[in-house]
Amino acid sequence: MASLQACIAVARAPPLSHSPCLALLARALRPIRCTLRPQVRFLSGDMAMDWSFNWTAQGVSFRRGEMRFRVSLKEEASVDAKDQRVGAKAIPKLMLVSDLDNTMVDHLDKSHTGLLRFNNLWAAEYAHNSLLVFSTGRSLEKYTQLRTQFPLLTPALCIFSVGTEICYGANMEPDQDWVNYLNEGWNQAVVLEEVKRLNLRLQDDSEIRPHKVSCQIDKKDATEIIDTLSKRLKDRGLNVKLIFSHGIDLDVLPKGAGKGEALAFLLQKMRREGSAPQETLVCGDSGNDIELFEVEGVNGVIVGGAMEELRQWYDINGKHSSRLHLAKERCASGIVEAIGELSLGPHLSPFDRMNSNGIQPAVKASEKGQLTPSGVAQREVVEFNTFFTKWMNGEVPNNPESFQRLTSVIASGSTMVYPWGVEQSLLQSVTSAQSKHGLTKDKKIRVWIDCIQEQELANGVLMVTWHSWQMSEGTERKGYFATAILREKEGTPNGVEWLRVHETPRKS
Ligand code: GLC
Ligand code: MG
């Protein structure tokens, strides 16, 4: 066991060279007095190590057969918060940059249908090779509040306060280069003085940021106020940008700031790192999103229900662009619609692909002998969970054939560790759900999967980790950390079967 753990530790610790692997392995095996005869081979992108060893215990010598593991060097699109490198390790297939209020989040949809549908699609088809970016007018404080109310995924990075703050990773490290750039020629105190001199109503303290002063004004006075304020700030030597959104909000920013400028900065940074995305899709609904659509080379979606100021911009500037889509559907459903219309990748989530026989595979499962395509284990995790939830909610037909979608992918002898600390046969756990069809039909459970990651541990053996969230009407959301081991299996919907699952409840 110790040696297996050592192998896994090595497998998870790039950068790799064969010598630390051997050192770790030798250390792990030392207590059982063995001689190790390793052979290391480098394959394209992978490292294989075969070894045999002699093991002497109580004077008896055993010769164990050969063992093998392979370390995958494939790395997925990601963000390195410490180095402030974006997508440093791979080229993202899609970078989706979305506004939040009334774009990703529909404040009128209390059951979050569109958002959950987007989450389902993203976790199944995009999380392994694409980047999710939120670009919002909100400050970090107001964004954090929104996350408690809506089932939002965790993005790779966030652009806050109308493109004035770019923050990376879980700790939301600000991009210092961006801060330095915006500092030039900006003076927040002067802006505040002029805003007060015009008697404008400032927004909440949380929304007044180092590079953003925001107030609320009457729509009818907007043109006049914007003209006067621009002139006065210019006279005081400031180069600013004024953005009017939602027919009420006025943001004063440094000239070089804004959602569009921040995205252009990010893309330039990624280009320098050699990790610019293959495609970018920007998504918005209001005035402060206009700039996003003007960034060179991006695709864009104006979601259904967009504000007048953005629709007007579209009529004048966007109508004839084949890269812009004016969605019929509202918010996150409009984003899913645009992914399909603009041919940016799969647009049917497992939720949408489900029929009475289970879930139609999104792509052909891998052929025997071929390397498992990256992302299939993640897709299996999302599909399985989606089907399981639909079964409990009574949203798929109650018949043994359709239930087989679940049992047919469980390896014999596999186990599950429950959040309450009980280990059970995985097949038994799944089978026991057959009689529970429709159990939650009156209070439907909604599930979403966040932070999903897949890693190949050995040839055809995959580890998937994710955060699973559950909620149902009138109850608090519950979260779990989950880990599963899957392995290649021909003839299953995604070419893999389940070996083990482990769930632990989250504290918050
Ligand atoms: C968000 C921000 C607000 C800003 C508005 C428009 O609502 O909280 O400060 O004025 O977006 O950009
Ligand atoms: Mg919005």
Side-chain angles (χ1 to χ4, degrees):
M1 196 56 191
S3 61
L4 180 64
Q5 275 160 5
C7 295
I8 292 172
V10 170
R12 299 211 61 191
L16 290 157
S17 79
H18 72 279
S19 45
C21 300
L22 293 185
L24 257 171
L25 198 60
R27 209 178 317 141
L29 295 173
R30 203 177 299 141
I32 52 173
R33 281 202 287 148
C34 64
T35 48
L36 179 68
R37 265 191 257 116
Q39 262 194 317
V40 181
R41 288 182 295 118
F42 289 93
L43 308 170
S44 62
D46 293 327
M47 182 177 75
M49 188 157 89
D50 304 328
W51 74 90
S52 57
F53 60 89
N54 286 326
W55 165 8
T56 312
Q58 295 175 339
V60 187
S61 175
F62 300 98
R63 181 176 165 74
R64 298 292 289 235
E66 286 199 335
M67 293 168 77
R68 174 186 294 211
F69 72 94
R70 204 187 72 204
V71 178
S72 171
L73 294 181
K74 270 182 274 160
E75 286 172 300
E76 312 300 356
S78 67
V79 171
D80 188 329
K82 219 160 111 226
D83 291 355
Q84 304 203 327
R85 284 161 64 85
V86 195
K89 295 167 185 165
I91 293 176
K93 208 160 163 275
L94 177 67
M95 180 158 92
L96 193 142
V97 183
S98 180
D99 168 51
L100 292 173
D101 294 286
N102 302 312
T103 301
M104 188 58 85
V105 161
D106 189 346
H107 289 274
L108 301 180
D109 177 6
K110 296 290 169 241
S111 56
H112 314 305
T113 316
L115 184 51
L116 290 170
R117 192 162 154 236
F118 172 83
N119 292 355
N120 195 244
L121 174 68
W122 190 264
E125 306 292 347
Y126 291 92
H128 68 287
N129 63 10
S130 297
L131 286 182
L132 181 62
V133 177
F134 291 152
S135 181
T136 173
R138 289 178 179 246
S139 58
L140 170 60
E141 191 178 326
K142 289 229 162 162
Y143 163 71
T144 310
Q145 283 169 12
L146 190 75
R147 289 192 69 84
T148 62
Q149 298 153 6
F150 289 86
L152 281 167
L153 292 181
T154 303
L157 63 107
C158 265
I159 304 172
F160 294 119
S161 303
V162 198
T164 59
E165 296 168 35
I166 302 176
C167 296
Y168 301 95
N171 295 335
M172 292 287 158
E173 297 268 342
D175 188 309
Q176 211 41 56
D177 293 338
W178 187 238
V179 173
N180 296 340
Y181 170 70
L182 295 187
N183 278 341
E184 269 175 46
W186 169 255
N187 188 330
Q188 195 217 37
V190 171
V191 178
L192 281 169
E193 267 173 42
E194 292 301 333
V195 162
K196 280 180 191 153
R197 200 147 77 92
L198 278 173
N199 261 330
L200 304 182
R201 196 169 61 249
L202 279 174
Q203 292 184 5
D204 291 352
D205 287 352
S206 71
E207 302 314 282
I208 312 300
R209 303 291 303 159
H211 297 104
K212 169 177 171 279
V213 173
S214 298
C215 30
Q216 295 200 318
I217 58 174
D218 280 346
K219 197 174 166 186
K220 60 173 178 26
D221 307 329
T223 315
E224 199 192 323
I225 290 175
I226 290 170
D227 287 350
T228 316
L229 191 58
S230 308
K231 192 172 168 302
R232 288 191 182 175
L233 290 171
K234 194 166 172 217
D235 291 347
R236 294 200 61 182
L238 292 194
N239 212 0
V240 298
K241 178 186 274 183
L242 280 88
I243 302 177
F244 185 57
S245 307
H246 312 130
I248 185 166
D249 296 319
L250 180 64
D251 301 316
V252 188
L253 320 171
K255 184 88 180 160
K259 288 188 177 191
E261 305 279 358
L263 175 58
F265 170 89
L266 208 59
L267 284 168
Q268 205 177 14
K269 196 166 184 171
M270 293 172 89
R271 255 176 242 128
R272 275 202 308 272
E273 291 167 4
S275 63
Q278 285 172 23
E279 294 286 358
T280 302
L281 173 64
V282 301
C283 322
D285 77 298
S286 80
N288 68 13
D289 300 317
I290 290 175
E291 290 192 355
L292 283 176
F293 298 98
E294 294 176 334
V295 174
E296 214 189 308
V298 304
N299 302 279
V301 52
I302 293 164
V303 294
M307 299 292 300
E308 190 189 325
E309 66 252 9
L310 180 56
R311 278 188 282 118
Q312 265 172 13
W313 173 88
Y314 176 80
D315 286 343
I316 301 165
N317 306 284
K319 229 176 182 159
H320 303 295
S321 165
S322 58
R323 292 189 141 199
L324 283 190
H325 178 66
L326 186 65
K328 286 181 203 67
E329 303 243 22
R330 289 177 58 81
C331 304
S333 287
I335 300 176
V336 174
E337 177 190 319
I339 291 176
E341 289 293 325
L342 297 167
S343 305
L344 296 173
H347 67 287
L348 288 179
S349 66
F351 202 90
D352 295 329
R353 279 190 280 115
M354 206 168 289
N355 64 21
S356 53
N357 303 319
I359 296 171
Q360 295 305 310
V363 290
K364 215 167 153 270
S366 63
E367 303 292 337
K368 193 175 183 219
Q370 270 189 355
L371 268 184
T372 317
S374 125
V376 289
Q378 285 187 203
R379 183 188 297 124
E380 170 59 20
V381 165
V382 180
E383 283 188 5
F384 189 97
N385 276 282
T386 307
F387 188 87
F388 190 86
T389 314
K390 285 216 163 205
W391 182 267
M392 301 302 277
N393 286 342
E395 294 167 329
V396 283
N398 185 3
N399 60 54
E401 298 77 54
S402 92
F403 192 75
Q404 274 222 338
R405 166 63 184 89
L406 299 181
T407 46
S408 65
V409 291
I410 308 296
S412 66
S414 52
T415 46
M416 153 123 194
V417 177
Y418 281 94
W420 46 93
V422 169
E423 190 183 42
Q424 209 183 320
S425 142
L426 185 54
L427 188 60
Q428 225 176 310
S429 313
V430 173
T431 311
S432 67
Q434 185 160 1
S435 59
K436 299 185 182 136
H437 182 270
L439 191 75
T440 53
K441 69 175 186 309
D442 297 329
K443 260 196 177 178
K444 294 210 165 61
I445 320 170
R446 298 290 166 225
V447 169
W448 72 101
I449 285 177
D450 193 15
C451 301
I452 190 161
Q453 285 188 344
E454 174 186 304
Q455 184 161 20
E456 194 174 24
L457 295 180
N459 202 357
V461 179
L462 299 142
M463 177 171 77
V464 185
T465 55
W466 69 96
H467 302 176
S468 165
W469 288 100
Q470 260 184 38
M471 60 181 181
S472 60
E473 223 178 287
T475 61
E476 287 267 296
R477 66 166 81 157
K478 279 191 277 180
Y480 304 96
F481 295 103
T483 303
I485 308 287
L486 296 97
R487 81 171 157 220
E488 276 180 16
K489 168 92 186 288
E490 256 189 289
T492 54
N494 286 302
V496 286
E497 66 177 354
W498 295 68
L499 291 176
R500 183 168 172 88
V501 186
H502 201 134
E503 279 189 348
T504 305
R506 281 179 74 114
K507 286 227 162 104
S508 60

